[in-house]
Amino acid sequence: HHVIVEEVGGIIMFILQTVRLAQQVQGRIRDMVFNESGDGIDSDHLLKFLDNQCSQLPVQLPEADELYTYRLEVVEWERRVSEVFYSKDEDLEDVNAYTSLETARDFQVSAKAHAYPSKVLVELNARVNKAMALRDRILQWKMACADGKKGSLKTLGSLIKEISRVRLRFPEAEDAVQLHKLV
């Protein structure tokens, strides 16, 4: 009878330790996914992290299983983004070779369903935000020129440099590049 009580006590202690360890892993997973730094999550790092954390557990966590599945979706999205934005040799002088701003926005919309913000998404968001700000600057420059204020070629040159850095195609950028070629 005394031996059974010790075995039950040992089993209960094992269960409690396993629950405590699982809770710690869940907390680390939450900390990683809901990281407020704004840098995004590297999907390869997430896989290593999950493998490392979950290998310590004698139980399976549904959250981890879901993250493995979500990660596959994000990795597939990242692959498509990479094919569209980074796989072709872009002629930095030819704005027509750039991927369109609308395509970038479509990728942003499709990423809203992701369980976590990936590094690729954060980089894409930054690129789109820069393109939008650049578009506004080009429009302001064009309005200043239309109002009779002399638009400087130096300003146009700096806009062209920014267009080549952002590498997204949008009508205002195409117009600015055409104008730059004429002058």
Side-chain angles (χ1 to χ4, degrees):
H1 187 300
H2 180 65
V3 173
I4 294 174
V5 171
E6 285 182 19
E7 286 180 22
V8 169
I11 291 171
I12 289 173
M13 288 305 294
F14 173 76
I15 291 171
L16 291 173
Q17 288 172 343
T18 300
V19 167
R20 190 173 306 120
L21 184 59
Q23 288 172 334
Q24 290 171 349
V25 169
Q26 284 174 324
R28 286 191 286 270
I29 289 172
R30 268 193 304 278
D31 289 346
M32 180 175 210
V33 171
F34 298 112
N35 181 353
E36 299 290 326
S37 72
D39 295 337
I41 297 171
D42 181 292
S43 293
D44 292 333
H45 178 71
L46 177 62
L47 177 63
K48 291 175 188 171
F49 174 80
L50 288 172
D51 286 346
N52 182 30
Q53 295 296 312
C54 294
S55 68
Q56 301 173 18
L57 294 176
V59 295
Q60 267 189 289
L61 293 175
E63 297 91 339
D65 293 340
E66 289 173 10
L67 262 179
Y68 277 115
T69 302
Y70 294 144
R71 183 195 159 276
L72 292 175
E73 293 170 11
V74 172
V75 166
E76 176 58 25
W77 178 88
E78 290 173 340
R79 184 193 59 74
R80 289 192 322 270
V81 168
S82 179
E83 284 177 359
V84 170
F85 288 96
Y86 304 109
S87 65
K88 59 186 173 187
D89 292 328
E90 293 176 340
D91 179 4
L92 294 181
E93 299 300 317
D94 183 12
V95 73
N96 294 317
Y98 300 159
T99 303
S100 76
L101 178 58
E102 289 306 311
T103 299
R105 289 172 139 181
D106 290 344
F107 275 111
Q108 284 180 309
V109 169
S110 67
K112 287 186 181 203
H114 293 171
Y116 62 89
S118 68
K119 278 194 179 294
V120 173
L121 175 60
V122 170
E123 291 167 4
L124 179 65
N125 288 341
R127 193 170 174 180
V128 168
N129 291 341
K130 286 178 186 174
M132 299 298 290
L134 179 58
R135 185 176 77 174
D136 292 343
R137 285 187 51 221
I138 293 170
L139 290 172
Q140 289 172 350
W141 183 81
K142 286 170 84 175
M143 286 190 316
C145 290
D147 288 342
K149 297 176 186 167
K150 187 177 179 190
S152 84
L153 292 177
K154 186 176 179 181
T155 302
L156 180 60
S158 73
L159 292 172
I160 298 303
K161 283 181 184 178
E162 286 188 54
I163 291 168
S164 69
R165 278 189 221 119
V166 171
R167 293 188 327 243
L168 286 174
R169 185 179 71 247
F170 48 97
E172 296 81 4
E174 292 170 346
D175 293 346
V177 168
Q178 289 302 320
L179 182 61
H180 187 257
K181 287 180 181 178
L182 293 175
V183 287

